[in-house]
Amino acid sequence: MASVVSSQALYCSFSTPEITPRFRVRVQSGSGGGNSKVSPSDSALVSGEKDKKVGGRIDSWNASLKGGVKKKSVKDVISSDLDVLWDDGYGTKTAKDFFEGAKEMIRPDGGPPRWFCPTECGQPLKDSPILLFCTGIVGVGLALTLHHKALGKVFEVRCLHIPVNDRTPFEGLVKFVEETVRLEHASSPNKPIYLVGDSFGGCLVLAVAARNPEIDLVVILANPATSFDRSQVRSLITLWEALPDGLYNALPYLLSFVMGNPVEMARVNIEYRLPPRLQIEQLFQNLIALLPHLSDLVDLIPKDTLIWKLKLLKSAASYANSRLHAVKAEVLVLSSGNDHLLPSGDEAQRLKRTLKNCTVRYFKDNGHNILLEDGVNLLTVIKGTGKYRRSRRIDLVLDFIPPSMSEFKQGYDEVIGLLRFATGSAMFSTLNDGKIVKGLHGVPNEGPVLLVGYHMLMGLEVYSLVPEFLREKNIMVHGVTHPVVFRERQGVSSPEFSLADWMKVMGAVPVTASNLFNLLSTKSHVLLYPGGAREALHNRGEEYKLFWPDQQEFVRMAAKFGATIVPFGTVGEDDVAELVLDYNDFMKIPVLNDYIRDANRDSIRLRDKSKGEVANQELYLPGLLPKVPGRFYFLFGKPIETRGRKEEILEDREKANQLYLHIKSEVERCIAYLLKKREEDPYRSIVDRTVYRALHSPLHEVPAFDP
C-alpha cells in the first residue's frame, strides 16, 4: 500500500526584479513493493535559486525535508490574468535538455516514487487547476520539458518520478497516484484535476480515472500504451532477457529512433520565418548536438530495468484495458502517425469508440515521444480542443487563455501564412475628427469595443483581422462565431489539429447572448457580424451587400455596458476567387441537394425562419474558381460612443433603431470607399506586392493607396 510523506515546508521559488514569490508544494513519496524504502532523502528538492539549478535542470535532486517552516502568503502577488502574447517558453527547451536533465535525476537514491515541481513552471495564475503528469517507461518524469513554462502559467504542475531501481508494482503506482488525486479533490472539490499520461503513464491515469468516476478529471493521453498487446514490443521481452550485455549497449540507439522521431525533436527551436537554407543548417546542427545524448538511454534504462519496465507495461495495459468501461472522465488522446513502438493511430480510434467522452487529435508526422517533438505544444492543444477550465463547467470567456507569442508566430506564419501572403491586407481606420489614416490608430485601445462589419465570402477576412490587431495594437479581438465551429468533427477517422481549433486558440467563442454579455462585461474587443452565415455564404451577384436583421440585436447590449461601436467594411473577395456555384445552384443538383439537407438537419439554429432574408442559412461549401490574388482592404469607421446613452437607448426603441441604421449605413459607406480607392493602389496585385516585398520590406509594410 502506498505511503504518504508530506512536507509542510517545501517551496518552489522564482525571481522577478520586484518580488520573489514562493508557493508551497506537497511532496508525496509512495512505497508499494520491491526494494523501495522511505528514507530521510525521499524528497525532491525543487528550487529556483541559481546554485540549485543548472541550465534549468534540477541539480540537487535529493534533500531532506524540514518541517515547521512558516508558510508565506502569496495571495497579493499571484496574477489572475495573462498578458496577450505572453512568453510561453516554447522552443527554448529541446529534447537535448530532456536528456541532460534526465541524466541528473537517474542517480539511485533508494527512494520510492514521488512528485516534484519543475522550477521552469514558476508561479501559476490564481485559481489554476492542478496537473499531475505520469511519466512514460523511462520514469524520470521530465517528458514535459518543452512544456514546463507554458503549463506552469495555468496549472499547478506536479510530475511523477519513478527512480531507476524502483520496483513498485503497477497497482502500487495506481494507489499512489489515486491517493494524491483524492487529497487534491478533497482540498478543492470544485476544481477539475488534470491527469496527463505519456505512454505507460496513459495506462496509469486511465486506471486511476476508472477507480474514481465521481471525481472531476480531465485525462490527456499521449500515445497511451494500452495497445501494448498489439505491438511488436510484447514479443521482444524474451529476446531482450537473453541479449548479451555487449549487444544491449547498442540497443539504446535503435530504441531512440523507434521511440521518437529525432528529426522532429531537432525541429523544436527552429524559427519558421528563417529562409529554407538556414532552417536546414540549424536542423543539421541540432541533430549533431542531439545524437550523442542518445547513448544516455543506456544509463536511463539499464538492461534489468528495461526488462522490469516491459513486464510492468504489460501488466499496466492489461489492468487499464479491463477497466475502460468504468472511465467517466473527459479524455483527450494525442495520437502519432509515425509511432513505430505502438499502434497509436488505431488505438486512438479504439479508445474513441470505447470511452464515453473522448476527443482525438492526430499528428501524422510525429513519433512515439510526441511530447518531446516539434509541432505539439501541449497547452495549445488543450486550449484548441476546449479542454481548459478552472471549475466544473467551462466558461469560454473567463477561462480563456490569451495566445502566447509562440502561438501567434505559428498561427501567423504557418496556419494562415499562405492566405496572409496572398491577400496582403491593408488596414485603415478613422480618427475621432473623421480623418482616415493608415493602420488601426483610430480604433480605441480601451474596451469594451464592439467591431461591427461586413462578412466577406467564406469569412476569409477574419484570418487577417484578428492577427493584425495582435500585431499592431497587442489587442485580443474575440470573434463571436457560428457554433458549428465548436462542434467535434464526426465521421473523421484521424482528426488533425485544424483551423477550427486554431480559431478557439485565437479567441473565437460561439455567438450567444450570454457570451456577448460576458465579453462586454470584461471590457473586451468583440468582433460581430450581424449578417452572419447569410452574408458569408451569399449568392452570385450579392457581394458587398449587407444582410442584417431588422431588430437591433447588438445595439442595446452595447449600450448596457457603455461599449464603443466601431463599424467597418472589408473588400477583396472578388479579387481572390469567383463564385461559380452558390446555394441555389447546388439545390438544383440531385444527390448534392440531399447531402446539404442531411448535413444541416441537426445543425444549431441561431435565428427563427420568420426573420426573412437573414434567416438560418444552410451551411455548405460554395463552388469557387481561384483568381490571381488581389488584396484585402479594411476600413474602420469613426468610433460611436454609447457611454452616457444607456437609459436613452435601452428605454427608447426608436432611438436604438436609429443608431442601428446609422451603424449599418456607416458599414456600407466604408465598403463603398474601399471599392473606389482600391483602384488607386499600385500594389493591388500579388505580383507587384511580391516584387516590392523582395526589394523593400516585410509584407505588412507594403504601401497601399493614400487615404
Side-chain angles (χ1 to χ4, degrees):
M1 183 172 179
S3 66
V4 180
V5 180
S6 296
S7 169
Q8 299 299 319
L10 186 64
Y11 294 85
C12 288
S13 66
F14 69 102
S15 299
T16 66
E18 298 82 18
I19 56 175
T20 306
R22 306 164 74 87
F23 64 98
R24 189 177 64 179
V25 178
R26 180 185 295 114
V27 175
Q28 296 176 314
S29 300
S31 61
N35 63 359
S36 299
K37 297 180 180 179
V38 179
S39 69
S41 63
D42 289 340
S43 65
L45 178 65
V46 188
S47 173
E49 300 170 9
K50 293 182 179 179
D51 61 333
K52 302 294 185 183
K53 185 177 174 185
V54 179
R57 304 187 309 274
I58 301 171
D59 187 40
S60 301
W61 170 244
N62 299 292
S64 298
L65 298 180
K66 298 180 180 179
V69 178
K70 185 178 180 181
K71 179 179 177 181
K72 184 176 180 179
S73 173
V74 296
K75 182 177 180 181
D76 297 330
V77 297
I78 296 179
S79 173
S80 60
D81 202 0
L82 278 174
D83 294 331
V84 175
L85 304 185
W86 55 283
D87 178 17
D88 65 359
Y90 190 76
T92 59
K93 297 288 184 179
T94 66
K96 177 183 174 184
D97 295 286
F98 162 77
F99 284 112
E100 292 178 347
K103 197 171 183 179
E104 297 287 335
M105 294 173 60
I106 61 169
R107 293 174 293 191
D109 57 24
R114 79 292 302 266
W115 299 106
F116 71 95
C117 173
T119 50
E120 296 96 331
C121 291
Q123 178 71 56
L125 295 177
K126 184 179 180 180
D127 295 327
S128 293
I130 192 168
L131 183 149
L132 302 174
F133 173 64
C134 292
T135 180
I137 192 171
V138 175
V140 292
L142 286 178
L144 290 180
T145 294
L146 277 61
H147 314 276
H148 284 161
K149 187 171 182 178
L151 294 175
K153 288 290 187 181
V154 296
F155 291 105
E156 292 185 20
V157 179
R158 307 289 179 268
C159 300
L160 177 64
H161 173 73
I162 304 175
V164 65
N165 291 330
D166 181 76
R167 296 297 182 262
T168 303
F170 183 70
E171 288 196 30
L173 295 174
V174 171
K175 291 177 181 178
F176 172 61
V177 177
E178 179 181 54
E179 188 165 357
T180 303
V181 167
R182 291 180 175 177
L183 285 171
E184 293 296 337
H185 175 66
S187 63
S188 301
N190 295 320
K191 286 185 183 180
I193 297 173
Y194 284 73
L195 297 178
V196 179
D198 177 27
S199 188
F200 165 77
C203 299
L204 186 53
V205 299
L206 281 172
V208 173
R211 290 163 58 108
N212 297 274
E214 74 286 355
I215 297 179
D216 183 13
L217 301 175
V218 180
V219 174
I220 301 172
L221 309 173
N223 293 325
T226 45
S227 61
F228 177 79
D229 285 344
R230 304 195 309 278
S231 70
Q232 297 179 357
V233 180
R234 182 177 183 274
S235 61
L236 296 177
I237 297 178
T238 304
L239 174 64
W240 281 338
E241 285 181 313
L243 196 68
D245 292 340
L247 291 177
Y248 180 81
N249 289 338
L251 183 62
Y253 289 98
L254 174 62
L255 277 177
S256 64
F257 285 90
V258 172
M259 293 180 67
N261 186 334
V263 174
E264 291 301 319
M265 290 182 182
R267 287 184 186 275
V268 170
N269 62 348
I270 296 179
E271 276 283 347
Y272 299 108
R273 301 185 184 189
L274 289 175
R277 179 181 62 82
L278 295 180
Q279 288 190 32
I280 294 173
E281 288 182 5
Q282 187 171 344
L283 176 62
F284 181 75
Q285 293 172 0
N286 289 352
L287 278 172
I288 294 298
L290 176 63
L291 290 176
H293 291 279
L294 299 181
S295 62
D296 292 341
L297 282 174
V298 175
D299 297 322
L300 296 179
I301 315 178
K303 181 180 176 180
D304 61 333
T305 297
L306 177 61
I307 294 170
W308 162 258
K309 295 277 189 181
L310 291 175
K311 292 179 179 178
L312 186 67
L313 193 57
K314 180 180 178 180
S315 173
S318 176
Y319 188 102
N321 281 318
S322 67
R323 292 164 173 78
L324 288 180
H325 64 280
V327 176
K328 308 292 189 217
E330 192 175 352
V331 179
L332 170 63
V333 182
L334 312 185
S335 170
S336 293
N338 282 331
D339 189 344
H340 301 300
L341 193 67
L342 299 171
S344 293
D346 293 339
E347 180 64 6
Q349 299 310 311
R350 184 182 78 91
L351 291 174
K352 185 174 179 60
R353 293 190 301 268
T354 305
L355 300 174
K356 297 179 180 180
N357 186 8
C358 181
T359 301
V360 172
R361 285 299 178 267
Y362 179 73
F363 300 87
K364 62 181 181 179
D365 297 324
N366 293 94
H368 183 70
N369 285 332
I370 188 171
L371 297 176
L372 290 172
E373 298 176 8
D374 185 46
V376 186
N377 185 326
L378 182 56
L379 181 58
T380 302
V381 177
I382 293 173
K383 291 161 58 178
T385 51
K387 299 299 181 185
Y388 185 78
R389 52 190 173 90
R390 296 182 177 93
S391 58
R392 289 188 175 274
R393 297 189 63 180
I394 187 171
D395 187 314
L396 293 175
V397 176
L398 298 181
D399 288 332
F400 175 72
I401 303 170
S404 66
M405 180 56 74
S406 72
E407 289 170 338
F408 172 73
K409 288 180 178 178
Q410 186 176 2
Y412 198 62
D413 292 337
E414 289 189 89
V415 181
I416 63 165
L418 183 59
L419 178 65
R420 182 177 62 88
F421 178 82
T423 58
S425 299
M427 300 276 178
F428 300 88
S429 59
T430 309
L431 303 180
N432 286 325
D433 60 4
K435 181 181 178 180
I436 298 176
V437 296
K438 296 178 181 178
L440 301 172
H441 306 293
V443 179
N445 292 327
E446 298 297 326
V449 173
L450 193 60
L451 306 172
V452 182
Y454 168 69
H455 221 355
M456 282 204 298
L457 184 64
M458 298 291 293
L460 294 176
E461 79 287 344
V462 174
Y463 307 114
S464 297
L465 189 153
V466 174
E468 199 62 25
F469 268 84
L470 284 169
R471 186 194 66 80
E472 184 176 332
K473 296 179 75 71
N474 204 41
I475 287 176
M476 182 73 250
V477 173
H478 293 270
V480 286
T481 311
H482 197 289
V484 72
V485 173
F486 291 81
R487 296 181 65 177
E488 188 60 28
R489 287 159 282 174
Q490 303 296 327
V492 181
S493 59
S494 301
E496 298 184 36
F497 198 77
S498 66
L499 184 60
D501 295 323
W502 272 106
M503 290 176 66
K504 300 171 196 173
V505 173
M506 301 304 287
V509 299
V511 55
T512 65
S514 60
N515 282 336
L516 182 59
F517 181 97
N518 291 337
L519 286 168
L520 293 177
S521 67
T522 54
K523 298 184 178 181
S524 302
H525 284 64
V526 185
L527 177 61
L528 178 68
Y529 294 102
R534 177 64 182 89
E535 241 167 46
L537 296 173
H538 60 70
N539 298 319
R540 289 197 308 277
E542 294 179 342
E543 58 270 11
Y544 307 126
K545 179 181 178 181
L546 301 188
F547 293 93
W548 288 19
D550 295 332
Q551 291 80 8
Q552 317 93 317
E553 293 185 329
F554 60 86
V555 170
R556 292 162 64 83
M557 184 77 79
K560 181 177 179 62
F561 293 98
T564 301
I565 300 174
V566 181
F568 71 94
T570 60
V571 303
E573 65 176 63
D574 51 340
D575 271 359
V576 174
E578 180 181 353
L579 180 59
V580 293
L581 289 174
D582 60 21
Y583 178 77
N584 295 327
D585 296 321
F586 279 117
M587 297 310 290
K588 296 175 183 177
I589 302 175
V591 180
L592 283 179
N593 55 12
D594 290 335
Y595 177 80
I596 293 174
R597 291 191 189 99
D598 291 341
N600 283 273
R601 183 169 290 117
D602 298 324
S603 63
I604 300 173
R605 300 291 176 177
L606 298 179
R607 292 183 171 121
D608 188 86
K609 289 186 177 181
S610 64
K611 296 186 178 179
E613 196 69 48
V614 77
N616 284 299
Q617 168 70 45
E618 301 287 343
L619 302 180
Y620 72 103
L621 289 177
L624 303 176
L625 182 64
K627 294 182 177 180
V628 176
R631 196 172 194 180
F632 285 175
Y633 301 88
F634 294 76
L635 173 59
F636 294 87
K638 183 178 178 180
I640 301 171
E641 295 282 352
T642 65
R643 188 178 293 108
R645 302 179 61 187
K646 178 179 178 180
E647 301 295 332
E648 172 189 351
I649 294 174
L650 292 180
E651 296 179 3
D652 191 331
R653 288 189 174 273
E654 181 59 32
K655 289 187 177 180
N657 188 56
Q658 289 175 4
L659 178 57
Y660 177 77
L661 294 177
H662 172 63
I663 296 167
K664 184 178 180 181
S665 67
E666 283 296 295
V667 173
E668 292 172 330
R669 184 190 64 80
C670 290
I671 293 173
Y673 176 89
L674 292 173
L675 288 173
K676 179 180 178 181
K677 293 292 289 186
R678 71 174 176 176
E679 301 294 336
E680 303 174 11
D681 184 4
Y683 302 104
R684 181 175 173 182
S685 167
I686 188 175
V687 176
D688 296 325
R689 292 197 304 277
T690 303
V691 172
Y692 184 93
R693 185 187 184 200
L695 297 175
H696 296 91
S697 67
L699 180 62
H700 65 265
E701 295 179 8
V702 176
F705 56 80
D706 292 326

